[in-house]
Amino acid sequence: MEERQWHTLSIHETEDHLDTDIDQGLREETAKERIEQHGKNVLPEPKKDPKWLKFVRQFNDVLIYVLLAAAVITAVLGYWYDTIVIALVVLIIGIIGYLQENKAEQALEGIKNMLSPSALVRRDGKRKEIEAEYLVPGDIVYLKPGDKIPVDLRLITAENMKVEESALTGEAITVDKTLDPLEEKIGLGDRTNLAFSGTSVAAGTGSGIVIATGSKTELGKINASIAEVEKVQTPLIQQTQRFGKTVASVIAGVAVFTFIFGYFLRDYETAELLLAVIGLTVAVIPEGLPAIISIILALGVRQMADNKAIVKNLPSVETLGAVSVICSDKTGTLTKNEMTAQNIQLADRTLRVTGSGYAPEGRIELDGDVYSNKQDEILNEILLAGVTCNDSDLFFDEESKQWMITGDPTEGCLLTLGEKAEESIRPLRVISKIPFDSAHKYMATLSPRDEAHVMYLKGAPDRLFSMAEASDPNFQTDMWEEKMTALAKKGQRVIGVAKRTFNTSKEKIDHDDLYEGIEFLGLIGIMDPPRPEAIEAVNECQSAGIQVKMITGDHKETAIAIGNELGISTEAGALQGTEIDDLTDEELADVVGQYNIFARTSPENKTRLVKALQTQDHIVAMTGDGVNDAPALRRADIGVAMGIKGTEVSKEAAEMVLVDDNFNTIFKAVKEGRRVYDNLKKTILFILPTNGAQGFILLMSIFLGTQLPLTALQILWVNMVVAITLSFAIAFEPLEPSTMKRAPRPKKTPLLSPYYIFRILLVSLIIGGGTLVYNLYMNTGDYSVEYIHTMTLNTIVIAQMFHLFNVRVETEPALNRSFFENPIAFYVSGALIVLQLFITYVPFMNTAFGTTPIAASDWIIPFVFGIAVFFIIELEKLISRNVIKRKQS
């Protein structure tokens, strides 16, 4: 069916376009024909790859190739234990990736569960209940309070109908539904004559013509957009892929060159030379690095879980540390998604209401002091009107341990307001009522009180102003309008409250009773308030160089007001969804950096905004809790869903879920992400010199034509023992104080900076060169091959042990106040020494690895050399710090 702007059509035009009859509904034969034409009202199943292909695909990664190459080499050499260990690491990585593969499918399942299972329709002139999947365009559907709407509808009746659309639009308050045609260029949340699939009826009744089913609904479009959104690779995966390709290229080049050199210019046997080149290759491959990266990321995941942030896949931990922009949904993320009375405006004073959300915690204040309703009859009447002229309920939910409401959020917050009064407010018994109607924009109740009957009235202030003027020509409309405007500029939705007193003979009220005897009482300003902790978190993010942008389905004025309270710059104003629709992708990318507030946005708008920021080389985190956020959550570099109030769809589409729905938790996660990334870099800075030093020794030995200082199995021992002991300590290094004062690293920052490459080469040359000199010295003496190998092995390992304490702090002195903060570094150093004693003195290890026991005095050389390495690198760090400071100044 062609795309139409259904909200612009009248009821009769809609009826004609869909060839239906409002009074009789569709004929059953017609409905069956349309099922054939349009399909069932279900979301399409995506094409699924077979399980074996999903599993095999996990191994399509350069780092996996490096590990597999190491496994093949060790198998060729006959060292099956090492082959099995490496193969197990590869298998575990593949299984983890396979388990994460199903996220998109789970997101689609979550969104399908939002569809209503049944619907009340009119067919052949009769009302009947049918399964929602058999609804077709043109069906007449009836709605009542609590119903989940099963399709997209053009409303044809709406009796005081309010619809909860926050999951779709992001707007906290319920939407009053209307029937008249609307202008074309308005956002989804302003199409008040439509009702959308997946939303629910909060109050009132209505009916409508089905205009879209299944994948054609707004919910269906979101479903399609989730399936189509291209998930960007995390920065770590991009960096490790580039790093792996570089390592593989260098290894291949060095191996080929060395073989040619040794074959033609040195007197090596082919088999011996081939074994030496294989040993060189094994020496240079950092076998333990992928496993250590996984361990560091896994520890980061556990730490984030302790901080109430659940991360679904390991690379996402590091992505958080690179985030340069956080795009946050307003409702439920930066705010509580609980309407709250903020101010009470009396004729001569403005009262402040403390506390936020539905929890009855807070008080009514004037100039910071408690203002009692016992001392102000007008205030007491306003509070009494709020709880009496009300169709909602406030209760404490034992399961979720939260205060909740049933009914309209606006009315719910008035119940909470009544609970905050110093003297208890209890609603009066209602004997007559004028229900709220979007056409009239007010509600009234009649209740017995003392020796009279009192009518309380609440609603749109302008309607109540006109009633008060009609009752009292001296009513100060201009003054009250100024007070209303002042509250509205704060982003508050303003409600007027009035009353009228009758004698006891009055038993029923109607609209005619509202234009005489009306006493206007005051105004109540309500809003979905910012979370206090979110204000602090926004400030901390900005201090860390992270931009915070608010993307919401709410109105422009409200969004700007909330932005100001949160400390987000609103100097450029707000860009609205309809304005975004008019921009090309290129134009949007040009202007997206100018705005921090985006209002009245659709799901497509949110996804486009994320993509626009990514084209500007930003690493984007997107937070949200609604169905409308799901495509953008999936598109972002890191999607963050709310655990408490988030829909299942948003949770499945995101990489991270906040258990406490607290924006401040995101900042804690970013801190942890930066710590993880720093420790990953330190790990590389530590491990690669081991490979570099061994590679340098072997390469120089081949060039010099001397005996090889280590066997391939001894090289594997060094690589693995350093990885499983010393490298493990770096994962527990705490956050350096300067980390959160740095701006986010640029998106294309290489894993190894020029300074890191310099440090790796320097340490490789110091350890490798020093060990080589000692090795050449031993070759001139009367030492056995086993003794030379054992001393060379211990010299390299002990030197790396001391180097561990260099890399714990990147450029600052290693010997500082936090030297003992990471006890794991000392534990693993002790474990390493035990392992070295094990390979040196245990007979079967001597036999397996070709080592031999050495004298106690022989350990002096490795330890003295290790201490020398430590102080040489500390001197280099001192020089580098001074150079960096001079460049910055």
Side-chain angles (χ1 to χ4, degrees), residues 697-748:
I697 294 170
L698 289 169
L699 192 62
M700 291 307 297
S701 297
I702 293 171
F703 284 177
L704 295 172
T706 63
Q707 176 185 301
L708 294 179
L710 293 171
T711 66
L713 186 56
Q714 289 167 352
I715 290 166
L716 276 172
W717 170 268
V718 173
N719 288 352
M720 297 310 293
V721 79
V722 167
I724 65 175
T725 58
L726 300 181
S727 300
F728 190 66
I730 301 175
F732 293 91
E733 282 299 315
L735 188 76
E736 292 188 29
S738 61
T739 301
M740 294 312 294
K741 297 176 183 177
R742 300 195 308 254
R745 67 181 187 273
K747 190 170 187 177
K748 295 181 180 178

Short mmCIF file of all heavy atoms in Angstrom, two decimals, residues 697-748:
data_model
loop_
_atom_site.label_atom_id
_atom_site.label_comp_id
_atom_site.label_asym_id
_atom_site.label_seq_id
_atom_site.Cartn_x
_atom_site.Cartn_y
_atom_site.Cartn_z
N ILE A 697 67.89 -11.35 19.51
CA ILE A 697 68.97 -12.30 19.85
C ILE A 697 69.10 -13.37 18.76
O ILE A 697 70.20 -13.67 18.28
CB ILE A 697 68.70 -12.97 21.21
CG1 ILE A 697 68.76 -11.93 22.34
CG2 ILE A 697 69.70 -14.07 21.48
CD1 ILE A 697 68.27 -12.46 23.67
N LEU A 698 67.97 -13.95 18.35
CA LEU A 698 68.01 -15.01 17.34
C LEU A 698 68.48 -14.48 15.99
O LEU A 698 69.28 -15.12 15.30
CB LEU A 698 66.63 -15.65 17.21
CG LEU A 698 66.17 -16.52 18.39
CD1 LEU A 698 64.71 -16.87 18.27
CD2 LEU A 698 67.01 -17.79 18.46
N LEU A 699 67.97 -13.31 15.64
CA LEU A 699 68.33 -12.72 14.35
C LEU A 699 69.83 -12.43 14.29
O LEU A 699 70.51 -12.77 13.30
CB LEU A 699 67.53 -11.43 14.14
CG LEU A 699 67.56 -10.80 12.73
CD1 LEU A 699 66.96 -11.77 11.71
CD2 LEU A 699 66.78 -9.49 12.72
N MET A 700 70.35 -11.84 15.35
CA MET A 700 71.78 -11.52 15.38
C MET A 700 72.62 -12.79 15.42
O MET A 700 73.72 -12.84 14.82
CB MET A 700 72.09 -10.64 16.59
CG MET A 700 71.51 -9.24 16.51
SD MET A 700 71.96 -8.37 14.98
CE MET A 700 73.75 -8.27 15.17
N SER A 701 72.13 -13.82 16.10
CA SER A 701 72.87 -15.08 16.14
C SER A 701 72.98 -15.68 14.74
O SER A 701 74.03 -16.22 14.35
CB SER A 701 72.18 -16.07 17.09
OG SER A 701 72.18 -15.57 18.41
N ILE A 702 71.88 -15.62 13.99
CA ILE A 702 71.90 -16.14 12.62
C ILE A 702 72.84 -15.30 11.75
O ILE A 702 73.64 -15.83 10.96
CB ILE A 702 70.47 -16.16 12.03
CG1 ILE A 702 69.60 -17.18 12.78
CG2 ILE A 702 70.51 -16.49 10.54
CD1 ILE A 702 68.14 -17.13 12.42
N PHE A 703 72.76 -13.96 11.90
CA PHE A 703 73.63 -13.09 11.11
C PHE A 703 75.11 -13.31 11.45
O PHE A 703 75.97 -13.27 10.57
CB PHE A 703 73.27 -11.63 11.35
CG PHE A 703 72.01 -11.20 10.63
CD1 PHE A 703 71.51 -9.91 10.81
CD2 PHE A 703 71.32 -12.06 9.79
CE1 PHE A 703 70.36 -9.51 10.15
CE2 PHE A 703 70.18 -11.67 9.13
CZ PHE A 703 69.69 -10.40 9.31
N LEU A 704 75.37 -13.57 12.75
CA LEU A 704 76.75 -13.78 13.16
C LEU A 704 77.21 -15.22 12.96
O LEU A 704 78.40 -15.53 13.11
CB LEU A 704 76.92 -13.41 14.65
CG LEU A 704 76.69 -11.93 15.00
CD1 LEU A 704 76.69 -11.73 16.50
CD2 LEU A 704 77.74 -11.04 14.34
N GLY A 705 76.27 -16.09 12.65
CA GLY A 705 76.62 -17.49 12.41
C GLY A 705 76.96 -18.25 13.65
O GLY A 705 77.68 -19.25 13.59
N THR A 706 76.48 -17.83 14.82
CA THR A 706 76.80 -18.50 16.08
C THR A 706 75.70 -19.47 16.46
O THR A 706 74.65 -19.55 15.82
CB THR A 706 76.96 -17.46 17.21
OG1 THR A 706 75.72 -16.78 17.40
CG2 THR A 706 78.06 -16.46 16.87
N GLN A 707 75.94 -20.17 17.55
CA GLN A 707 74.96 -21.12 18.06
C GLN A 707 73.71 -20.38 18.53
O GLN A 707 73.79 -19.31 19.13
CB GLN A 707 75.58 -21.87 19.24
CG GLN A 707 74.63 -22.84 19.93
CD GLN A 707 75.29 -23.46 21.15
OE1 GLN A 707 76.32 -24.11 21.02
NE2 GLN A 707 74.70 -23.24 22.32
N LEU A 708 72.52 -20.94 18.26
CA LEU A 708 71.26 -20.31 18.67
C LEU A 708 71.17 -20.29 20.20
O LEU A 708 71.38 -21.32 20.85
CB LEU A 708 70.06 -21.06 18.09
CG LEU A 708 69.92 -21.00 16.55
CD1 LEU A 708 68.72 -21.81 16.11
CD2 LEU A 708 69.82 -19.57 16.06
N PRO A 709 70.86 -19.12 20.78
CA PRO A 709 70.87 -18.98 22.25
C PRO A 709 69.70 -19.66 22.94
O PRO A 709 69.74 -19.93 24.14
CB PRO A 709 70.82 -17.47 22.46
CG PRO A 709 70.16 -16.95 21.24
CD PRO A 709 70.55 -17.85 20.11
N LEU A 710 68.59 -19.89 22.22
CA LEU A 710 67.40 -20.53 22.80
C LEU A 710 66.79 -21.46 21.76
O LEU A 710 66.84 -21.20 20.56
CB LEU A 710 66.36 -19.49 23.21
CG LEU A 710 66.68 -18.54 24.37
CD1 LEU A 710 65.61 -17.45 24.47
CD2 LEU A 710 66.79 -19.29 25.69
N THR A 711 66.15 -22.53 22.25
CA THR A 711 65.40 -23.40 21.35
C THR A 711 63.98 -22.87 21.19
O THR A 711 63.53 -22.01 21.97
CB THR A 711 65.32 -24.83 21.92
OG1 THR A 711 64.53 -24.81 23.12
CG2 THR A 711 66.71 -25.38 22.22
N ALA A 712 63.28 -23.40 20.20
CA ALA A 712 61.90 -22.95 19.97
C ALA A 712 61.03 -23.20 21.19
O ALA A 712 60.18 -22.38 21.55
CB ALA A 712 61.33 -23.65 18.74
N LEU A 713 61.21 -24.36 21.85
CA LEU A 713 60.39 -24.66 23.02
C LEU A 713 60.71 -23.72 24.18
O LEU A 713 59.82 -23.28 24.91
CB LEU A 713 60.62 -26.11 23.45
CG LEU A 713 59.71 -26.62 24.58
CD1 LEU A 713 58.24 -26.45 24.21
CD2 LEU A 713 60.01 -28.07 24.91
N GLN A 714 61.98 -23.37 24.35
CA GLN A 714 62.36 -22.41 25.39
C GLN A 714 61.78 -21.03 25.10
O GLN A 714 61.36 -20.31 26.02
CB GLN A 714 63.89 -22.34 25.49
CG GLN A 714 64.53 -23.59 26.09
CD GLN A 714 66.02 -23.65 25.89
OE1 GLN A 714 66.60 -22.83 25.16
NE2 GLN A 714 66.67 -24.63 26.52
N ILE A 715 61.74 -20.66 23.82
CA ILE A 715 61.13 -19.38 23.42
C ILE A 715 59.64 -19.37 23.79
O ILE A 715 59.11 -18.39 24.33
CB ILE A 715 61.31 -19.15 21.91
CG1 ILE A 715 62.79 -18.88 21.60
CG2 ILE A 715 60.44 -17.99 21.42
CD1 ILE A 715 63.14 -18.97 20.14
N LEU A 716 58.96 -20.50 23.50
CA LEU A 716 57.54 -20.59 23.85
C LEU A 716 57.35 -20.49 25.36
O LEU A 716 56.40 -19.88 25.84
CB LEU A 716 56.95 -21.90 23.33
CG LEU A 716 56.49 -21.89 21.87
CD1 LEU A 716 56.11 -23.29 21.43
CD2 LEU A 716 55.32 -20.94 21.68
N TRP A 717 58.26 -21.11 26.12
CA TRP A 717 58.19 -21.02 27.59
C TRP A 717 58.27 -19.55 28.03
O TRP A 717 57.46 -19.09 28.84
CB TRP A 717 59.32 -21.82 28.23
CG TRP A 717 59.45 -21.56 29.71
CD1 TRP A 717 60.25 -20.63 30.30
CD2 TRP A 717 58.75 -22.21 30.76
NE1 TRP A 717 60.10 -20.65 31.67
CE2 TRP A 717 59.17 -21.62 31.98
CE3 TRP A 717 57.81 -23.23 30.81
CZ2 TRP A 717 58.68 -22.03 33.21
CZ3 TRP A 717 57.32 -23.64 32.04
CH2 TRP A 717 57.75 -23.04 33.23
N VAL A 718 59.23 -18.81 27.49
CA VAL A 718 59.37 -17.40 27.87
C VAL A 718 58.10 -16.64 27.53
O VAL A 718 57.56 -15.89 28.36
CB VAL A 718 60.59 -16.76 27.16
CG1 VAL A 718 60.63 -15.26 27.42
CG2 VAL A 718 61.88 -17.43 27.61
N ASN A 719 57.61 -16.83 26.30
CA ASN A 719 56.42 -16.09 25.87
C ASN A 719 55.21 -16.38 26.75
O ASN A 719 54.49 -15.47 27.17
CB ASN A 719 56.08 -16.42 24.41
CG ASN A 719 57.07 -15.81 23.44
OD1 ASN A 719 57.93 -15.01 23.82
ND2 ASN A 719 56.96 -16.18 22.17
N MET A 720 54.99 -17.65 27.04
CA MET A 720 53.79 -18.03 27.77
C MET A 720 53.91 -17.71 29.26
O MET A 720 52.95 -17.26 29.89
CB MET A 720 53.48 -19.52 27.57
CG MET A 720 53.18 -19.91 26.13
SD MET A 720 51.92 -18.86 25.33
CE MET A 720 50.47 -19.32 26.27
N VAL A 721 55.12 -17.95 29.85
CA VAL A 721 55.25 -17.71 31.28
C VAL A 721 55.16 -16.22 31.59
O VAL A 721 54.60 -15.80 32.62
CB VAL A 721 56.55 -18.32 31.83
CG1 VAL A 721 57.77 -17.47 31.52
CG2 VAL A 721 56.45 -18.57 33.33
N VAL A 722 55.69 -15.39 30.72
CA VAL A 722 55.57 -13.94 30.91
C VAL A 722 54.12 -13.51 30.75
O VAL A 722 53.60 -12.68 31.51
CB VAL A 722 56.48 -13.19 29.92
CG1 VAL A 722 56.14 -11.71 29.87
CG2 VAL A 722 57.95 -13.38 30.30
N ALA A 723 53.41 -14.11 29.77
CA ALA A 723 52.02 -13.73 29.51
C ALA A 723 51.10 -14.12 30.65
O ALA A 723 50.24 -13.34 31.07
CB ALA A 723 51.55 -14.35 28.19
N ILE A 724 51.28 -15.36 31.18
CA ILE A 724 50.32 -15.83 32.18
C ILE A 724 50.64 -15.36 33.59
O ILE A 724 49.83 -15.54 34.50
CB ILE A 724 50.22 -17.38 32.17
CG1 ILE A 724 51.55 -18.00 32.60
CG2 ILE A 724 49.76 -17.88 30.81
CD1 ILE A 724 51.52 -19.52 32.73
N THR A 725 51.79 -14.78 33.79
CA THR A 725 52.11 -14.27 35.14
C THR A 725 52.19 -12.75 35.13
O THR A 725 51.27 -12.06 35.56
CB THR A 725 53.42 -14.87 35.66
OG1 THR A 725 54.49 -14.56 34.75
CG2 THR A 725 53.31 -16.36 35.81
N LEU A 726 53.28 -12.22 34.60
CA LEU A 726 53.53 -10.78 34.69
C LEU A 726 52.45 -9.95 34.01
O LEU A 726 51.98 -8.95 34.57
CB LEU A 726 54.91 -10.45 34.11
CG LEU A 726 56.11 -11.14 34.79
CD1 LEU A 726 57.40 -10.71 34.12
CD2 LEU A 726 56.15 -10.83 36.28
N SER A 727 52.04 -10.35 32.79
CA SER A 727 51.05 -9.56 32.05
C SER A 727 49.73 -9.49 32.81
O SER A 727 48.99 -8.50 32.72
CB SER A 727 50.80 -10.19 30.67
OG SER A 727 52.00 -10.23 29.94
N PHE A 728 49.43 -10.54 33.55
CA PHE A 728 48.17 -10.60 34.29
C PHE A 728 48.07 -9.46 35.31
O PHE A 728 46.99 -8.96 35.58
CB PHE A 728 48.10 -11.96 34.99
CG PHE A 728 46.77 -12.26 35.60
CD1 PHE A 728 45.65 -12.43 34.80
CD2 PHE A 728 46.62 -12.37 36.97
CE1 PHE A 728 44.41 -12.71 35.37
CE2 PHE A 728 45.40 -12.66 37.54
CZ PHE A 728 44.29 -12.83 36.73
N ALA A 729 49.23 -9.05 35.86
CA ALA A 729 49.22 -8.01 36.88
C ALA A 729 48.74 -6.68 36.34
O ALA A 729 48.10 -5.89 37.05
CB ALA A 729 50.62 -7.86 37.47
N ILE A 730 49.04 -6.40 35.07
CA ILE A 730 48.71 -5.09 34.49
C ILE A 730 47.19 -4.90 34.43
O ILE A 730 46.70 -3.78 34.52
CB ILE A 730 49.35 -4.94 33.10
CG1 ILE A 730 50.87 -5.08 33.22
CG2 ILE A 730 49.01 -3.59 32.48
CD1 ILE A 730 51.61 -5.07 31.91
N ALA A 731 46.46 -5.99 34.28
CA ALA A 731 44.99 -5.90 34.23
C ALA A 731 44.41 -5.28 35.49
O ALA A 731 43.30 -4.73 35.47
CB ALA A 731 44.39 -7.28 33.99
N PHE A 732 45.14 -5.33 36.60
CA PHE A 732 44.62 -4.83 37.88
C PHE A 732 45.15 -3.43 38.23
O PHE A 732 44.88 -2.94 39.32
CB PHE A 732 45.00 -5.80 39.00
CG PHE A 732 44.31 -7.13 38.89
CD1 PHE A 732 44.89 -8.18 38.19
CD2 PHE A 732 43.07 -7.33 39.47
CE1 PHE A 732 44.26 -9.41 38.08
CE2 PHE A 732 42.43 -8.56 39.36
CZ PHE A 732 43.02 -9.60 38.66
N GLU A 733 45.89 -2.84 37.30
CA GLU A 733 46.41 -1.50 37.59
C GLU A 733 45.26 -0.50 37.74
O GLU A 733 44.34 -0.49 36.92
CB GLU A 733 47.36 -1.04 36.49
CG GLU A 733 48.74 -1.64 36.56
CD GLU A 733 49.46 -1.29 37.85
OE1 GLU A 733 49.42 -0.11 38.25
OE2 GLU A 733 50.05 -2.19 38.46
N PRO A 734 45.30 0.35 38.77
CA PRO A 734 44.21 1.33 38.95
C PRO A 734 44.30 2.46 37.92
O PRO A 734 45.30 2.58 37.20
CB PRO A 734 44.46 1.86 40.37
CG PRO A 734 45.93 1.68 40.58
CD PRO A 734 46.31 0.43 39.83
N LEU A 735 43.25 3.26 37.88
CA LEU A 735 43.20 4.40 36.97
C LEU A 735 44.22 5.45 37.38
O LEU A 735 44.30 5.82 38.55
CB LEU A 735 41.79 5.01 37.01
CG LEU A 735 41.47 6.10 35.98
CD1 LEU A 735 41.23 5.48 34.61
CD2 LEU A 735 40.23 6.88 36.41
N GLU A 736 45.00 5.90 36.42
CA GLU A 736 45.97 6.96 36.72
C GLU A 736 45.22 8.28 36.92
O GLU A 736 44.23 8.56 36.23
CB GLU A 736 46.99 7.10 35.60
CG GLU A 736 47.93 5.89 35.50
CD GLU A 736 49.06 6.12 34.51
OE1 GLU A 736 49.46 7.30 34.33
OE2 GLU A 736 49.54 5.15 33.90
N PRO A 737 45.65 9.13 37.87
CA PRO A 737 44.92 10.37 38.20
C PRO A 737 44.68 11.28 37.00
O PRO A 737 43.66 11.98 36.94
CB PRO A 737 45.84 11.04 39.23
CG PRO A 737 46.63 9.93 39.83
CD PRO A 737 46.83 8.93 38.74
N SER A 738 45.58 11.28 36.04
CA SER A 738 45.46 12.20 34.91
C SER A 738 44.54 11.69 33.82
O SER A 738 44.21 12.44 32.88
CB SER A 738 46.85 12.46 34.30
OG SER A 738 47.40 11.23 33.81
N THR A 739 44.09 10.46 33.92
CA THR A 739 43.35 9.83 32.82
C THR A 739 42.07 10.58 32.47
O THR A 739 41.77 10.80 31.30
CB THR A 739 43.02 8.36 33.17
OG1 THR A 739 44.24 7.66 33.40
CG2 THR A 739 42.27 7.70 32.02
N MET A 740 41.28 10.97 33.48
CA MET A 740 40.00 11.64 33.21
C MET A 740 40.15 13.13 32.97
O MET A 740 39.16 13.84 32.81
CB MET A 740 39.03 11.38 34.36
CG MET A 740 38.62 9.93 34.50
SD MET A 740 38.11 9.12 32.96
CE MET A 740 36.61 10.03 32.57
N LYS A 741 41.38 13.60 32.92
CA LYS A 741 41.62 15.00 32.55
C LYS A 741 42.01 15.12 31.08
O LYS A 741 42.13 16.22 30.55
CB LYS A 741 42.72 15.60 33.44
CG LYS A 741 42.34 15.65 34.91
CD LYS A 741 43.48 16.16 35.78
CE LYS A 741 43.11 16.14 37.26
NZ LYS A 741 44.23 16.55 38.12
N ARG A 742 42.23 13.96 30.45
CA ARG A 742 42.60 13.94 29.04
C ARG A 742 41.34 13.97 28.18
O ARG A 742 40.29 13.43 28.55
CB ARG A 742 43.39 12.68 28.69
CG ARG A 742 44.69 12.49 29.44
CD ARG A 742 45.54 11.43 28.75
NE ARG A 742 44.83 10.20 28.52
CZ ARG A 742 45.02 9.08 29.21
NH1 ARG A 742 45.90 9.06 30.20
NH2 ARG A 742 44.35 7.98 28.93
N ALA A 743 41.47 14.58 27.01
CA ALA A 743 40.38 14.51 26.03
C ALA A 743 40.32 13.10 25.47
O ALA A 743 41.32 12.37 25.50
CB ALA A 743 40.64 15.52 24.91
N PRO A 744 39.16 12.68 24.98
CA PRO A 744 39.07 11.34 24.38
C PRO A 744 40.06 11.21 23.23
O PRO A 744 40.32 12.17 22.51
CB PRO A 744 37.63 11.28 23.86
CG PRO A 744 36.88 12.30 24.64
CD PRO A 744 37.87 13.39 24.93
N ARG A 745 40.62 10.04 23.09
CA ARG A 745 41.59 9.85 22.01
C ARG A 745 40.87 9.90 20.66
O ARG A 745 39.72 9.44 20.54
CB ARG A 745 42.32 8.53 22.17
CG ARG A 745 41.45 7.31 21.98
CD ARG A 745 42.26 6.02 22.18
NE ARG A 745 41.51 4.84 21.84
CZ ARG A 745 40.71 4.19 22.67
NH1 ARG A 745 40.57 4.63 23.91
NH2 ARG A 745 40.05 3.12 22.28
N PRO A 746 41.51 10.44 19.63
CA PRO A 746 40.90 10.47 18.29
C PRO A 746 40.59 9.07 17.80
O PRO A 746 41.27 8.09 18.17
CB PRO A 746 41.99 11.14 17.43
CG PRO A 746 42.80 11.94 18.39
CD PRO A 746 42.80 11.15 19.68
N LYS A 747 39.57 8.97 16.95
CA LYS A 747 39.07 7.67 16.50
C LYS A 747 40.14 6.87 15.78
O LYS A 747 40.20 5.64 15.90
CB LYS A 747 37.86 7.88 15.58
CG LYS A 747 37.11 6.61 15.25
CD LYS A 747 35.81 6.93 14.54
CE LYS A 747 34.95 5.69 14.36
NZ LYS A 747 33.65 5.99 13.75
N LYS A 748 41.00 7.53 15.03
CA LYS A 748 41.98 6.81 14.23
C LYS A 748 43.33 6.68 14.93
O LYS A 748 44.35 6.41 14.30
CB LYS A 748 42.16 7.50 12.87
CG LYS A 748 40.89 7.45 12.01
CD LYS A 748 41.08 8.11 10.66
CE LYS A 748 39.80 8.04 9.84
NZ LYS A 748 39.94 8.72 8.53
#
